[in-house]
Amino acid sequence: SALWRVSGAIISFYQWDGQLPTEQDVIDHQRIYEAIRDHQPDSARQAMIDHLSGPTVAGRIAPLTPIWSASET
């Protein structure tokens, strides 16, 4: 299922990053999960964009070349 793939991606990121999720990461992931669970793709997409551009993730992935941007959604 899509949720398993997303979970795997999250786990892979934290293994690569070497840092544990912050409290804000957990809150963000919960928002994303709930939107997916409730079949609200627009809310899920916005929650993911907010999470990836937020301070707990953006600073850690900034050196990477983005494979997407909010303007493409």
Side-chain angles (χ1 to χ4, degrees), residues 2-25:
L3 188 54
W4 283 108
R5 289 191 304 271
V6 169
S7 297
I10 291 168
I11 291 167
S12 294
F13 174 79
Y14 287 111
Q15 288 173 335
W16 168 82
D17 183 53
Q19 295 183 31
L20 293 175
T22 65
E23 183 176 342
Q24 186 61 50
D25 290 332

Side-chain angles (χ1 to χ4, degrees), residues 34-52:
E34 289 172 357
I36 292 169
R37 180 198 64 201
D38 296 342
H39 304 282
Q40 298 177 347
D42 292 337
S43 294
R45 182 178 298 108
Q46 187 59 54
M48 179 61 88
I49 290 168
D50 293 346
H51 174 59
L52 294 177

